[in-house]
Amino acid sequence: MTQELVSLTIIMAVAAVSPIVAQLIPGKFIPQTVLLLAAGTALGPYGLGVIEVNDAVKLLNELGMAFLFLLAGYEIDPKRLAGHQGKVGLLTWEITLGLAWLVVTFLPFFTKQGINGVATVIALTTTALGTLMPILKERNLEGTPIGDAIISYGTWGELGPILAMAILLSTRTGWQTMLVLGAFLAICLLCAMLPTKALRTGHRLYRFLTENANTSSQTLMRLTTFLLIFLVTISALFELDAVLGAFAAGFILRYIIPDGSKSLEMKLEGVGYGFLIPVFFVVSGAAINVRAVAGRPALLVAFIVMLMLIRAVPVYVALSLDKRKNPLSSHHRVTVALYCTTALPIIVAVTSLAVKVGTMQSDTASTLVAAGAITVFLMPLLGSITYQVADIHPVTAVREIAHTPSDWRTIVREHAQVRALLHHQDRLKRMAEMLESLEKQEGLNGLDSRRAELVERARLEIDRQLKELGLDPQLTTQLPHNYRYPKN
């Protein structure tokens, strides 16, 4: 018991320090998740060895993964899945699955590496939606058109691989697998229908639960935790992966409470992000064998590149073909595609299962998990860069510099000023008013003409962003007050 407590103490020390370190890093470009993974790798069995992944820590790790997928499932709006963007997201994931199968089956590289199986195919189609949600919140993307698109496409990038794991990695025959999944679905439907019926009829039990939700009884929180552990246990009894039960629990919870509950969400996030989920990320990092990864750098790089080609490119193409319904600019489509290529929890789950059944070596699994960990850092960073840089319109700037190379300093400064004006619309308005008054009185000199050009370019950029939000630039001249630019 002493060693278990020592390991847990170190893990929680890492969890407590990580957000402080992330805050101190200039630009705040490294998510806390990356620090947790790195610390786990350094302190785990393949590093300094001060964290021992014993049975107690493994149980907390499983609960952490369960809470991560619970929150991911809870973020999914069933209406979104049935809507236009949800259908496009499903079709895109199916194309991604087909591409992954073709690449893994016929590309000689994967055959030589001994990873041309179903587990690798599934790993190449995943989006770590549960991991992305706190990153989207940190970067003020939640609730924006970019964030909505990431969630829509990322939902199937999480749900699709979970279902594929249950069907394609099962050791049962086809009809037995379908029978087990049917029984599991029936239990999930029962778990969803009973509370929903009680809610609609205003049953006394439901009134009791809601009235005591914020007392020492914490009834809703206890029932939610029971639902999660119950479905995870059912998954284990049916020999299904725990992520299926956890994801189903979150989805059921959202079905029962379609409009959400701020109080319950705060408690779930408190338990999840405050305790169990950091344990999962630290232990995931501890599972990475650094020597094994260093011995196979080609596989590490190739897997990340394939993730980008197989997952990011179809998402970008789908958004480009669906511009009428999703009028995102090209750089915003790149941003969405990059975020959707973030992958880790499913890779951890699918490689663990493959190692357990003997279809993948542990060294190979470590390398794929390390690749997934790198995407958690790399993809949001690249996505943030594309978003931040795009407002400066670098392609236009390059063309202008090519036309008049001697003015390159002025051109770069002007593009930077346009971006600054977009972030301070009150300043833009004051400058426009000043220029209009000067024009009426004395006319504009050379410097003021240049300012007028900057203002006009900034206005055109705001009009474009208003159109992306589905607003008419003729009816409103400013972005909404709650329109949030992402942080670095």
Side-chain angles (χ1 to χ4, degrees):
M1 180 60 73
T2 302
Q3 183 57 49
E4 285 88 340
L5 288 173
V6 169
S7 295
L8 184 58
T9 300
I10 295 170
I11 290 171
M12 293 316 299
V14 169
V17 170
S18 292
I20 300 172
V21 174
Q23 185 73 17
L24 293 175
I25 295 172
K28 305 174 189 175
F29 63 93
I30 299 182
Q32 298 176 33
T33 303
V34 175
L35 298 177
L36 294 171
L37 290 164
T41 304
L43 301 176
Y46 301 106
L48 297 176
V50 294
I51 294 177
E52 181 182 317
V53 185
N54 44 53
D55 289 341
V57 172
K58 285 180 181 177
L59 177 60
L60 290 175
N61 173 57
E62 289 291 320
L63 289 174
M65 184 169 65
F67 255 86
L68 184 67
F69 281 96
L70 168 77
L71 292 171
Y74 180 74
E75 291 291 343
I76 296 171
D77 183 355
K79 294 178 182 177
R80 191 193 298 271
L81 284 179
H84 172 78
Q85 203 167 41
K87 293 175 182 176
V88 174
L90 172 60
L91 179 61
T92 304
W93 181 80
E94 289 172 345
I95 292 171
T96 300
L97 183 66
L99 288 174
W101 180 79
L102 288 172
V103 167
V104 171
T105 303
F106 296 106
L107 199 66
F109 174 81
F110 285 97
T111 305
K112 289 178 182 177
Q113 296 290 332
I115 54 169
N116 57 338
V118 176
T120 309
V121 172
I122 295 173
L124 284 168
T125 67
T126 179
T127 296
L129 185 62
T131 306
L132 279 176
M133 289 312 302
I135 296 176
L136 295 181
K137 291 176 182 177
E138 287 173 13
R139 299 186 175 182
N140 287 334
L141 282 170
E142 190 181 31
T144 66
I146 306 297
D148 290 343
I150 292 170
I151 292 173
S152 292
Y153 284 86
T155 293
W156 285 108
E158 189 115 74
L159 179 57
I162 289 172
L163 295 174
M165 283 173 61
I167 297 170
L168 301 178
L169 292 179
S170 175
T171 56
R172 303 182 183 90
T173 60
W175 70 269
Q176 288 175 328
T177 300
M178 291 299 126
L179 187 64
V180 168
L181 286 175
F184 181 79
L185 178 61
I187 293 172
C188 290
L189 289 173
L190 190 64
C191 291
M193 290 170 62
L194 289 178
T196 305
K197 187 175 181 181
L199 186 153
R200 288 173 181 169
T201 58
H203 195 275
R204 283 184 300 174
L205 177 60
Y206 175 75
R207 291 200 301 272
F208 170 79
L209 293 175
T210 52
E211 289 168 2
N212 290 274
N214 295 312
T215 66
S216 58
S217 300
Q218 292 294 320
T219 48
L220 284 180
M221 183 63 187
R222 292 185 188 185
L223 274 177
T224 301
T225 307
F226 166 72
L227 174 67
L228 171 65
I229 295 175
F230 172 70
L231 289 180
V232 168
T233 303
I234 293 296
S235 298
L237 292 173
F238 285 177
E239 296 181 3
L240 299 169
D241 198 273
V243 298
L244 180 61
F247 199 83
F251 196 74
I252 289 168
L253 188 61
R254 172 59 73 179
Y255 178 79
I256 296 170
I257 316 173
D259 297 326
S261 168
K262 289 294 181 185
S263 174
L264 181 60
E265 289 164 20
M266 288 180 65
K267 293 167 189 173
L268 289 172
E269 290 179 356
V271 175
Y273 294 121
F275 177 32
L276 294 170
I277 293 175
V279 174
F280 166 71
F281 283 119
V282 173
V283 174
S284 296
I288 298 174
N289 186 339
V290 180
R291 291 185 182 86
V293 174
R296 307 182 75 175
L299 176 59
L300 180 73
V301 175
F303 192 79
I304 294 173
V305 171
M306 283 300 149
L307 270 171
M308 295 184 72
L309 292 175
I310 291 171
R311 185 69 184 138
V313 173
V315 171
Y316 179 84
V317 171
L319 286 167
S320 300
L321 295 175
D322 194 35
K323 282 196 289 187
R324 284 190 177 181
K325 295 287 185 178
N326 296 293
L328 296 177
S329 62
S330 59
H331 67 271
H332 285 177
R333 296 197 294 272
V334 171
T335 301
V336 173
L338 287 169
Y339 272 100
C340 285
T341 313
T342 304
L344 180 67
I346 291 290
I347 293 179
V348 172
V350 76
T351 54
S352 299
L353 188 57
V355 169
K356 190 182 296 183
V357 299
T359 57
M360 185 180 289
Q361 297 179 353
S362 59
D363 288 357
T364 303
S366 283
T367 306
L368 299 190
V369 170
I374 290 172
T375 65
V376 174
F377 162 71
L378 183 62
M379 300 308 168
L381 174 63
L382 293 176
S384 180
I385 290 172
T386 59
Y387 201 120
Q388 295 288 335
V389 171
D391 283 337
I392 307 174
H393 291 282
V395 175
T396 305
V398 169
R399 287 175 182 166
E400 292 174 2
I401 292 170
H403 187 261
T404 52
S406 59
D407 292 338
W408 71 269
R409 289 186 179 86
T410 303
I411 293 169
V412 170
R413 185 171 62 253
E414 286 177 352
H415 280 262
Q417 287 173 339
V418 169
R419 182 174 180 273
L421 288 174
L422 292 174
H423 283 252
H424 302 281
Q425 292 186 74
D426 53 344
R427 182 181 162 202
L428 174 63
K429 186 177 180 181
R430 288 197 303 271
M431 188 181 289
E433 290 173 350
M434 178 194 72
L435 291 169
E436 286 174 5
S437 64
L438 284 173
E439 191 174 20
K440 289 177 182 177
Q441 294 172 7
E442 304 172 358
L444 298 175
N445 57 34
L447 178 62
D448 290 329
S449 296
R450 181 158 289 178
R451 286 181 179 175
E453 184 182 346
L454 289 174
V455 169
E456 182 59 26
R457 285 161 71 175
R459 281 174 167 171
L460 289 173
E461 180 64 17
I462 286 178
D463 285 351
R464 184 187 63 74
Q465 293 186 8
L466 285 168
K467 289 177 182 176
E468 284 191 10
L469 292 169
L471 301 174
D472 187 352
Q474 301 297 324
L475 301 178
T476 177
T477 57
Q478 286 196 318
L479 291 165
H481 291 296
N482 62 351
Y483 183 82
R484 291 164 291 182
Y485 290 89
K487 299 174 184 176
N488 291 321

